[in-house]
Amino acid sequence: MYYTDREEAGRRLAAEVERWRDADPVVVALPRGGVPVAAPVARALGAPLDICVIRKLGVPAQPELGMGAIGEGGTRVVNEAVVHGARVTAGQFAEVERRERAELERRATRYRRGRAPVAVRGRTVIVVDDGVATGSTALAACRIVRARGAARVVLAVPVAPADWARRLGPDADALVCPHTPARFRAIGEFYRDFTQTSDAEVERLLHEAATARPADGTEITLDAGGADLRGTLAVPPDAVGLVLFAHGSGSGRHSPRNRHVAGELRRAGLGTLLLDLLTPEEEPDRAKVFDPVLLGGRLAAVTRLVTARPDCTGLPVGYFGASTGAAAALWAAAEPGLPVAAVVSRGGRPDLAGDRLPEVTAATLLIVGGADTAVLELNRRAADALRCEHELAVVPGATHLFEEPGALAAVSGLAAQWFDRCLATAVTDWTT
């Protein structure tokens, strides 16, 4: 036996997936047994926990033998070798699927308690179960989250047969399993306590995860000069300020790095608006991507609109700009009559704001990776042009995307401290 119970297996599995902490991960569990394993993984990573409801399709005469699996959204995986080997007829298969789909829908309704699934588009999704035997349910789960737009799929389980990578590798970008014994009969033989997980326990763990972590936010659309711009707004209770995110070239409100930073800011008591400054039709136009006047003008317009909302009225405002979005943030911060209190740039191109830099009055923090030498020099020159309070912070060894272990956490910590200090004393007079 390798594990005392599922919770211990989850704690040990969490150490194996630590490398994806800075990738803004979502942990998706296969109920029921996968949820108590996934819960400590999600807690350790500071990630949201969701479920992917899967039902195994067992051979009628031997239910423990999987001939396939079904999942939410009509996904189906069939093990043709088992179907033919067990001589399962089309009618028998259809009857098993009908019965299991009814159970799938019942469980999904009960477990979610009206909550919408966590958004996975553009994010790293870590699929967790208590183990892999035939692999049909894990395979279905990987395909489901991929179909929902996951940028990277990691399948992580405490135990699996030695040949599991050959069978499941093509459907996941990474496989994680601490124990792959050569002799494998059933998942339960590797747990001292493999008591069946109840529906009540699944509900409890999902509810605890949902209430312990700030929500990603509500999708909104704002009309900025005739362009319908999409955003994700989240304002925690008793928020001390609101930070608007201006994303860089080739990125948007689903950026894993900015979502990670936004989550840390919300935990620090700040509201966040992750915003697309270009419409989907405009995004391929590289000229617009590098146009700080267009992007900065839209950011300023959105600022006026969002601060007029009842849930944002009176909140001091800060900007977080990444890459070319930093130029847009500084351009907007220099707009007359727009009292933005603080700006943070992550790996930004503040130099693109040009002649507007001396007009910025918001306290500005420029964060650059130490290994991003070209951008570091551009930030030094931009800092020389600023006349407001400003600092240049260098994260040692980090490259442009801050993908190195701990680099993005350093960015989040620096940003949270800067906004906390600058917004706490900001003037919130929006009578311009």
Side-chain angles (χ1 to χ4, degrees):
M1 295 181 184
Y2 291 121
Y3 305 107
T4 302
D5 54 20
R6 291 181 178 89
E7 183 176 352
E8 189 218 352
R11 290 196 300 269
R12 292 169 63 178
L13 190 61
E16 301 287 332
V17 298
E18 173 68 23
R19 73 194 86 164
W20 287 286
R21 170 185 287 277
D22 291 343
D24 189 35
V26 177
V27 177
V28 172
L30 278 72
R32 288 178 288 190
V35 177
V37 178
V41 173
R43 286 195 298 269
L45 296 179
L49 174 65
D50 200 4
I51 53 171
C52 185
V53 185
I54 303 290
R55 293 296 296 173
K56 180 171 68 176
L57 302 178
V59 171
Q62 194 177 355
E64 288 301 312
L65 179 60
M67 59 180 179
I70 57 172
E72 295 175 275
T75 305
R76 177 195 292 114
V77 178
V78 181
N79 188 330
E80 298 289 354
V82 173
V83 171
H84 292 152
R87 298 181 180 179
V88 179
T89 67
Q92 288 174 319
F93 191 99
E95 173 57 24
V96 172
E97 181 175 0
R98 181 198 64 76
R99 184 175 64 250
E100 294 299 340
R101 191 161 292 282
E103 177 62 12
L104 182 150
E105 293 173 0
R106 182 194 71 81
R107 291 193 180 191
T109 300
R110 176 172 181 176
Y111 296 156
R112 293 194 185 281
R113 291 187 182 179
R115 291 187 298 266
V118 175
V120 301
R121 182 166 300 278
R123 303 174 74 174
T124 294
V125 178
I126 302 176
V127 177
V128 176
D129 202 358
D130 55 10
V132 160
T134 65
S136 56
T137 52
L139 180 63
C142 291
R143 291 180 178 177
I144 287 170
V145 298
R146 184 85 72 186
R148 290 175 56 199
R152 180 190 294 139
V153 178
V154 178
L155 177 59
V157 295
V159 63
D163 65 343
W164 84 304
R166 177 182 58 79
R167 286 187 278 144
L168 297 174
D171 286 275
D173 299 299
L175 297 171
V176 177
C177 183
H179 298 295
T180 54
R183 299 182 65 179
F184 187 105
R185 290 177 297 177
I187 296 171
E189 66 180 324
F190 301 100
Y191 288 83
R192 180 171 290 109
D193 179 0
F194 200 62
T195 305
Q196 187 178 51
T197 304
S198 67
D199 284 341
E201 184 178 5
V202 171
E203 291 181 71
R204 177 182 63 81
L205 291 170
L206 291 175
H207 177 71
E208 289 177 355
T211 54
R213 189 175 187 276
D216 283 345
T218 302
E219 295 295 308
I220 63 172
T221 301
L222 297 165
D223 181 356
D228 289 333
L229 305 182
R230 300 172 184 171
T232 306
L233 176 66
V235 183
D238 302 319
V240 297
L242 177 67
V243 178
L244 280 65
F245 281 68
H247 307 289
S249 56
S251 185
R253 71 188 191 282
H254 296 300
S255 159
R257 285 168 290 278
N258 283 348
R259 289 173 67 97
H260 175 90
V261 174
E264 294 303 312
L265 295 185
R266 290 195 296 273
R267 273 186 277 277
L270 293 162
T272 59
L273 174 60
L274 292 152
L275 180 68
D276 290 342
L277 291 173
L278 295 175
T279 66
E281 294 74 25
E282 293 172 329
E283 287 174 356
D285 188 339
R286 301 300 291 174
K288 287 185 170 62
V289 169
F290 285 87
D291 186 344
V293 178
L294 171 67
L295 302 179
R298 287 184 175 179
L299 181 59
V302 166
T303 303
R304 294 187 174 95
L305 290 171
V306 75
T307 52
R309 291 171 55 101
D311 52 350
C312 299
T313 300
L315 292 178
V317 171
Y319 290 153
F320 184 97
S323 190
T324 56
L330 288 164
W331 193 99
E335 185 72 358
L338 198 66
V340 177
V343 175
V344 174
S345 164
R346 171 184 65 81
R349 290 291 309 277
D351 56 295
L352 295 177
D355 294 341
R356 301 276 284 197
L357 289 173
E359 301 173 21
V360 176
T361 58
T364 299
L365 175 64
L366 307 174
I367 306 175
V368 189
D372 193 10
T373 54
V375 172
L376 178 56
E377 179 58 29
L378 292 172
N379 274 257
R380 285 175 174 149
R381 295 177 187 174
D384 289 340
L386 290 169
R387 299 292 176 264
C388 58
E389 177 192 353
H390 64 275
E391 290 184 17
L392 175 62
V394 179
V395 179
T399 52
H400 187 61
L401 295 180
F402 296 87
E403 295 178 308
E404 295 72 23
L408 199 56
V411 171
S412 300
L414 289 167
Q417 291 174 14
W418 191 262
F419 285 127
D420 181 63
R421 179 177 67 82
C422 298
L423 299 187
T425 58
V427 176
T428 57
D429 181 8
W430 291 88
T431 59
T432 55

